[in-house]
């Protein structure tokens, strides 16, 4: 039982790992170890126990919110006397590079699609709305990739607007981490899903973060529920460096990789380069543009070592 008087001085309800896990309410685990192999990211020790204790309660909460949203839509249609079209429910996932946003997004997609309602769940990353490298180079922004000014926010806002308007077919550009660029002509077709999960560094940022874009509508205006995946900067830096080392042994060895030149670095040199990239780009972006958006989220999940979530904050 949650003691309400304990939380009167904050807009969030706070749960430790055990308290949050109890809210699973005997919900059955529908994923297997083989499912996790395809869902977890590089350098993440994701276990079925973590899914059961953290992500099942989260999917249960989201299912309640989504069902309530559908009832609200039905009430509006009854009031208007119309038989309106289904409007997708949008969930956004924000957080730093290397915190595990993509794994969280894939897990929620898998869990939400397995509920008895069999809802269709699409996943889109905002990486696809980065400007192409050619444009970034022309504007001197290659070292600011991932910063607010590196995104085509007009196109991203138009995308979520089209989704929320109930448009049947909406397209999103596709980004390749291999070539570190937008795939020319590459598109992902989104066909009127029940749920859209939008994952990216920038999904909680507002107009104050994009002074170069003169518009009054932002991604957050269309989001129904927002999640911020959090961790200390020390952990984030370590995870980033470890991921860089793993990529150096894997994806970077592909001759087509934009970072192929890093594949032959010694481990010490690789750690030095990764530390520099963190300090000058990713860590800076975290402090200036990502971390300040944390308290805008409906739910903040804070990770400890090994990507284990040890604290949940849920907006009242």
């Amino acid at each position: 039982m949650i003691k309400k008087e304990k939380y009167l001085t904050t807009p969030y309800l706070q749960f430790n790992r055990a308290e949050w896990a109890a809210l699973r309410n005997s919900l059955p685990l529908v994923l297997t170890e083989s499912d996790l192999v395809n869902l977890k990211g590089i350098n993440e020790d994701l276990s079925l126990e973590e899914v059961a204790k953290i992500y099942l309660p989260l999917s249960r909460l989201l299912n309640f919110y989504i069902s309530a949203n559908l009832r609200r839509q039905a009430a509006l249609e009854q009031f208007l006397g119309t038989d309106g079209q289904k409007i997708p429910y949008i969930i956004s996932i924000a957080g730093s590079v290397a915190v595990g946003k993509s794994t969280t997004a894939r897990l929620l997609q898998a869990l939400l699609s397995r509920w008895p309602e069999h809802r269709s769940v699409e996943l889109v990353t905002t990486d696809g709305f980065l400007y192409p490298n050619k444009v970034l180079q022309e504007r001197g922004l290659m070292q600011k990739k991932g910063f607010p000014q590196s995104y085509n926010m007009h196109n991203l806002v138009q995308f979520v607007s089209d989704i929320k308007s109930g448009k049947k077919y909406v397209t999103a550009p596709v980004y390749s981490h291999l070539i570190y660029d937008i795939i020319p002509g590459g598109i992902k077709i989104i066909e009127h899903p029940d749920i859209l999960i939008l994952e990216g560094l920038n999904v909680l940022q507002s107009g104050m973060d994009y002074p170069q874009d003169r518009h009054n509508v932002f991604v957050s205006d269309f989001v129904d529920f927002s999640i911020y995946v959090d961790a200390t900067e020390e952990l984030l830096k370590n995870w980033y460096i470890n991921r860089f080392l793993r990529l150096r042994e894997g994806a970077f060895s592909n001759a087509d990789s934009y970072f192929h030149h890093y594949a032959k670095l010694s481990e010490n040199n690789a750690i030095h380069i990764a530390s520099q990239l963190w300090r000058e780009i990713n860590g800076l972006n975290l402090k200036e543009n990502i971390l300040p958006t944390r308290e805008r989220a409906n739910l903040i999940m804070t990770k400890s070592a090994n990507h284990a979530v040890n604290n949940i904050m849920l907006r009242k």
Side-chain angles (χ1 to χ4, degrees):
M1 183 72 179
I2 304 301
K3 296 181 180 179
K4 295 182 180 179
E5 66 272 11
K6 182 179 177 181
Y7 305 108
L8 294 178
T9 59
T10 170
Y12 288 97
L13 297 170
Q14 301 188 46
F15 305 86
N16 61 34
R17 185 177 177 87
E19 291 168 338
W20 183 256
L23 296 172
R24 172 185 174 182
N25 198 32
S26 301
L27 187 67
L29 181 59
V30 293
L31 297 180
T32 64
E33 288 286 0
S34 60
D35 291 326
L36 290 190
V37 172
N38 296 321
L39 292 172
K40 67 182 180 180
I42 294 173
N43 204 45
E44 289 184 48
D45 293 324
L46 181 66
S47 66
L48 286 177
E49 180 188 10
E50 187 74 3
V51 175
K53 290 188 173 181
I54 302 300
Y55 296 96
L56 275 181
L58 178 55
S59 74
R60 179 172 177 254
L61 172 68
L62 287 170
N63 197 55
F64 280 134
Y65 277 129
I66 293 164
S67 296
N69 185 67
L70 289 172
R71 291 194 294 271
R72 184 187 63 80
Q73 288 184 35
L76 179 60
E77 289 166 14
Q78 184 177 8
F79 172 71
L80 296 174
T82 61
D83 185 16
Q85 60 190 144
K86 176 182 63 182
I87 304 300
Y89 190 89
I90 299 182
I91 300 167
S92 70
I93 301 177
S96 171
V97 167
V99 77
K101 297 184 303 300
S102 297
T103 297
T104 298
R106 290 191 295 267
L107 267 174
L108 287 179
Q109 181 184 30
L111 291 170
L112 291 171
S113 65
R114 285 168 166 80
W115 274 83
E117 293 83 355
H118 299 294
R119 296 185 175 116
S120 60
V121 187
E122 286 283 2
L123 170 58
V124 171
T125 172
T126 62
D127 288 346
F129 295 91
L130 285 160
Y131 285 112
N133 285 355
K134 182 180 179 182
V135 174
L136 295 177
Q137 289 165 352
E138 289 170 352
R139 299 182 181 182
L141 293 174
M142 280 300 288
Q143 297 303 308
K144 293 289 184 180
K145 201 166 189 178
F147 284 64
Q149 58 267 42
S150 65
Y151 289 92
N152 187 329
M153 285 306 296
H154 174 80
N155 286 357
L156 178 54
V157 168
Q158 186 63 57
F159 169 77
V160 290
S161 176
D162 287 344
I163 290 287
K164 208 61 178 171
S165 69
K167 191 174 179 180
K168 187 171 183 180
Y169 296 102
V170 183
T171 61
V174 180
Y175 184 85
S176 168
H177 287 279
L178 181 68
I179 64 172
Y180 195 58
D181 203 355
I182 304 298
I183 297 175
I187 60 169
K188 179 174 183 175
I189 299 174
I190 310 299
E191 187 177 354
H192 204 209
D194 296 303
I195 304 165
L196 175 74
I197 298 174
L198 186 66
E199 176 259 310
L201 302 172
N202 58 338
V203 290
L204 285 170
Q205 291 168 2
S206 69
M208 294 294 290
D209 305 300
Y210 293 88
Q212 77 280 10
D213 286 320
R214 297 183 180 277
H215 58 263
N216 298 314
V217 183
F218 312 102
V219 172
S220 57
D221 294 334
F222 302 96
V223 171
D224 296 288
F225 192 89
S226 54
I227 299 168
Y228 186 96
V229 188
D230 195 23
T232 65
E233 186 175 356
E234 181 181 5
L235 280 174
L236 291 169
K237 180 181 177 181
N238 288 337
W239 292 340
Y240 177 78
I241 293 171
N242 290 335
R243 188 177 73 173
F244 187 92
L245 293 175
R246 294 284 296 274
L247 288 170
R248 161 180 156 268
E249 297 170 353
F252 292 173
S253 62
N254 188 322
D256 294 326
S257 172
Y258 180 87
F259 297 105
H260 182 61
H261 57 288
Y262 289 144
K264 295 184 178 179
L265 288 174
S266 68
E267 181 171 324
N268 285 340
N269 284 340
I271 292 172
H272 174 75
I273 293 293
S275 299
Q276 183 179 11
L277 291 172
W278 177 265
R279 182 176 62 255
E280 297 179 358
I281 300 176
N282 297 295
L284 186 63
N285 194 19
L286 170 65
K287 289 190 281 282
E288 291 184 355
N289 303 304
I290 302 170
L291 192 57
T293 72
R294 179 176 57 190
E295 275 70 36
R296 297 175 190 169
N298 296 109
L299 183 141
I300 302 169
M301 50 196 308
T302 302
K303 291 184 172 183
S304 57
N306 299 321
H307 286 266
V309 174
N310 63 359
N311 185 64
I312 299 281
M313 296 173 63
L314 175 64
R315 189 173 289 278
K316 297 175 183 177

